[in-house]
Amino acid sequence: MHSKKQTSVKYYVGIDVGSASVRAALVDEFGTVVTHAEQPIQIWEPQPDHYEQSSADIWAACCVVTKKVVCGVDARQIRGVGFDATCSLVVVDKQFQPLAVNSQGQNNRNVIMWMDHRAVSQVDRINATQHRILNYVGGVMSVEMQPPKLLWIKENLRESCWEKAGYFFDLPDFLSWKATGVTARSLCTLVCKWTYTSDGGWDDSFWKIIGLEDLVKDKYEKIGNHVLSPGESVGKGLTPEAAKELGLPEGIAVAASLIDAHAGGLGVIGADVRGHNLPCENQPVTSRVALICGTSSCHMGVSETPIFVPGVWGPYFSAMVPGLWLNEGGQSATGKLIEHVVQGHVAFPELQSKAAASAQSIYTYLNSHLDLIKKSLPVGFLTVDLHVWPDFHGNRSPLTDLTLKGMVVGLTLSRGLDELALIYLATIQAVALGTRHILEAMEAAGHHINTLFLCGGLSKNPLFVQMHADITGKPVVLSKEVESVLVGAAILGACASGDFASIQELEPLGAAISSLGGHGKNGKNRASRAT
């Protein structure tokens, strides 16, 4: 991010709300993360497939991390704030007070998380309508989107929640409202998770046919009738109350937000790759897919014209990169699955103690242990007799079947650390094979993809990166700035500040390359550092 007009360094704050924590970063005008901080947030699981959070807890964490990253910085140099968050559903009453999304009446738990699968019956009925709007979500709506969750609330919490509700927010939009007092929604959230279309707006017939005609009657006030493009300035900037809570100056620009995966995609997909002999060099950005991999994974590919991919969300116009159509594949559990498999193994306590003794993370230790036992063959061949089907939380793309379950084939009676390392490897390989399945579906529909750009927590695991290069047969690019999602959020704030003309002006400079994961024949792979 560079402008010749600067006389002193300008800063932008990016705030990222993930599934289990909130992070913030102070990013300078050159796209460098100066400092960042993290704060955990609470998740409630009152029963299987029900996941809830608290908007008050999330906002409090936003305030903690933001105060940390701006501490000691001249407030006059901070020009804008951008938010991204998971696509969770926030419910508040007409006075903006939290409303319980549970039968226990716990009003503080007013967020249905993105990964909540309570609305299975509702999404089945929505899909049975075969409404034309479903063409824009791969032909089948996911239980993780907002319409089935809204229908679940109406049918199960009618008096306590539905009838009292004043506003239903996607979490990124809740955050921009909390910062500015303006209820405008982001085009990104409404298009990707609520069935809004960038050319036609809301489709009355869809909401009526699924039984949510109430939302049409009030002209969609509860779910959004003022829509802004990501990066547009919201209202008059930070309110006095929000400014005090965040430790920022009153009135600084606040951007219309993005979903977290889309912020990550924005932070990496425009990387300058010149001089690295990559197949996407001198090719349009449409030859790239951004893979944002954390608790879950999202596969973001863009095109100049709409491409309808069965089982893959979209096409969504201008939902991530202005002027381009977005397709979004996804896996509902990736980091969460790896954690579940590793922590559930009988040898996990041994792994914990040995990793602690060597001052390593458990995953660094597992990667080293695999190198020790691989002998002469590449590490990927260790699992020739062990296979994982990774859909422990259903399949989002491209099979769109939330009833699918996970499976492991090739177990023995062995219970030691070797076996834990092998099932860890097999799980990572299964996730990478899922990515290949998604890419094949996108390519069959008309995408031309030759390079993967990874970001998110799992991209920091060299084994995860290498297995994706091996299994997809495509080079993998990592950003020099590892906190790409935070950079994406800060790009929004920079755009809202008016210091830059557009997101496109900012995007390439937020994602210079630092690492390449190569692919080769017979598993003989390379990974090189780029200067």
Side-chain angles (χ1 to χ4, degrees):
M1 302 178 187
H2 181 67
S3 174
K4 295 178 180 177
K5 295 182 290 184
Q6 319 309 343
T7 54
S8 60
V9 176
K10 295 180 179 180
Y11 296 108
Y12 309 92
V13 176
I15 301 171
D16 164 50
V17 179
S19 298
S21 66
V22 175
R23 302 180 306 149
L26 186 70
V27 180
D28 68 20
E29 64 199 82
F30 309 107
T32 303
V33 173
V34 178
T35 183
H36 62 92
E38 185 169 8
Q39 178 80 5
I41 50 179
Q42 194 163 355
I43 299 173
W44 288 269
E45 188 181 358
Q47 60 192 81
D49 287 333
H50 287 229
Y51 295 93
E52 299 169 4
Q53 290 184 310
S54 161
S55 63
D57 178 52
I58 291 168
W59 180 252
C62 290
C63 297
V64 169
V65 292
T66 304
K67 284 179 177 176
K68 285 182 180 178
V69 299
V70 302
C71 182
V73 177
D74 184 345
R76 292 170 296 181
Q77 294 177 266
I78 302 172
R79 302 278 298 158
V81 181
F83 292 95
D84 73 77
T86 64
C87 48
S88 300
L89 177 65
V90 184
V91 187
V92 296
D93 66 18
K94 294 174 180 62
Q95 288 74 46
F96 297 96
Q97 297 304 304
L99 278 175
V101 293
N102 49 75
S103 56
Q104 293 83 25
Q106 297 291 320
N107 282 330
N108 63 308
R109 288 161 33 200
N110 67 319
V111 180
I112 300 179
M113 287 189 71
W114 64 269
M115 62 182 179
D116 185 289
H117 282 192
R118 70 182 66 183
V120 172
S121 169
Q122 289 74 20
V123 81
D124 285 346
R125 281 179 274 138
I126 290 171
N127 285 323
T129 69
Q130 297 186 323
H131 193 280
R132 61 181 176 271
I133 207 77
L134 300 179
N135 292 330
Y136 288 88
V137 292
V140 180
M141 180 166 285
S142 168
V143 71
E144 295 172 4
M145 292 183 172
Q146 309 302 11
K149 292 173 180 174
L150 293 170
L151 189 55
W152 184 93
I153 291 172
K154 182 176 180 179
E155 294 179 349
N156 291 272
L157 302 173
R158 186 167 191 132
E159 291 185 7
S160 63
C161 184
W162 182 257
E163 293 179 353
K164 294 180 180 179
Y167 301 91
F168 299 99
F169 287 104
D170 219 278
L171 182 54
D173 295 324
F174 169 83
L175 297 171
S176 61
W177 164 76
K178 191 73 175 171
T180 65
V182 176
T183 61
R185 309 303 209 277
S186 168
L187 183 69
C188 173
T189 58
L190 292 195
V191 165
C192 295
K193 307 301 174 186
W194 297 72
T195 74
Y196 189 89
T197 60
S198 52
D199 54 351
W202 296 115
D203 187 321
D204 294 356
S205 66
F206 170 74
W207 296 99
K208 290 175 180 176
I209 200 172
I210 70 170
L212 293 178
E213 63 284 345
D214 329 34
L215 300 175
V216 181
K217 290 176 183 175
D218 70 0
K219 299 181 180 179
Y220 300 100
E221 183 182 1
K222 289 184 178 181
I223 62 173
N225 51 22
H226 178 200
V227 185
L228 299 175
S229 295
E232 273 194 72
S233 183
V234 182
K236 297 180 180 179
L238 277 182
T239 64
E241 181 181 5
K244 182 178 180 181
E245 292 173 345
L246 291 165
L248 292 169
E250 177 185 342
I252 68 166
V254 176
S257 54
L258 280 172
I259 298 167
D260 54 350
H262 300 64
L266 185 66
V268 296
I269 203 167
D272 182 355
V273 300
R274 288 172 295 182
H276 295 291
N277 197 31
L278 285 163
C280 65
E281 186 173 354
N282 299 318
Q283 296 293 314
V285 72
T286 54
S287 66
R288 310 175 179 193
V289 159
L291 173 52
I292 299 86
C293 37
T295 304
S296 62
S297 290
C298 295
H299 308 69
M300 322 294 276
V302 293
S303 58
E304 293 182 357
T305 58
I307 299 175
F308 293 84
V309 185
V312 172
W313 298 344
Y316 304 133
F317 187 67
S318 290
M320 185 175 76
V321 181
L324 294 178
W325 294 85
L326 171 70
N327 283 108
E328 179 184 349
Q331 296 161 289
S332 293
T334 50
K336 186 172 178 65
L337 174 62
I338 295 166
E339 180 183 88
H340 173 80
V341 169
V342 169
Q343 294 187 3
H345 197 278
V346 68
F348 180 63
E350 179 187 356
L351 169 63
Q352 280 184 302
S353 61
K354 288 187 173 180
S358 61
Q360 293 179 309
S361 75
I362 58 174
Y363 298 114
T364 301
Y365 189 91
L366 282 172
N367 293 350
S368 299
H369 192 77
L370 286 167
D371 283 335
L372 288 175
I373 64 176
K374 72 178 182 181
K375 300 178 182 176
S376 60
L377 288 173
V379 68
F381 286 79
L382 285 170
T383 52
V384 66
D385 295 319
L386 183 63
H387 311 286
V388 173
W389 182 264
D391 295 329
F392 284 49
H393 200 50
N395 183 287
R396 185 189 299 171
S397 302
L399 301 179
T400 63
D401 187 346
L402 60 89
T403 69
L404 285 177
K405 303 293 186 287
M407 180 167 58
V408 182
V409 177
L411 292 172
T412 70
L413 293 175
S414 300
R415 295 155 52 90
L417 196 55
D418 285 3
E419 286 67 39
L420 171 51
L422 290 177
I423 197 168
Y424 159 72
L425 171 60
T427 303
I428 288 177
Q429 290 172 324
V431 170
L433 285 162
T435 289
R436 189 171 83 181
H437 195 187
I438 291 166
L439 296 180
E440 288 171 350
M442 294 175 70
E443 289 171 330
H447 282 275
H448 301 283
I449 301 160
N450 57 34
T451 312
L452 300 182
F453 289 71
L454 263 62
C455 68
L458 290 176
S459 70
K460 300 172 186 177
N461 183 333
L463 181 67
F464 185 90
V465 174
Q466 194 64 62
M467 287 302 102
H468 274 72
D470 292 354
I471 287 169
T472 65
K474 300 182 189 298
V476 172
V477 179
L478 302 179
S479 173
K480 181 179 180 181
E481 180 47 71
V482 296
E483 300 297 348
S484 301
V485 179
L486 286 167
V487 171
I491 283 174
L492 297 175
C495 191
S497 73
D499 292 342
F500 301 87
S502 67
I503 283 178
Q504 286 95 327
E505 181 183 342
L506 290 154
E507 187 187 13
L509 297 172
I513 295 182
S514 76
S515 294
L516 305 174
H519 61 90
K521 295 181 179 179
N522 303 318
K524 296 178 181 178
N525 306 294
R526 64 176 172 80
S528 60
R529 299 295 294 182
T531 55

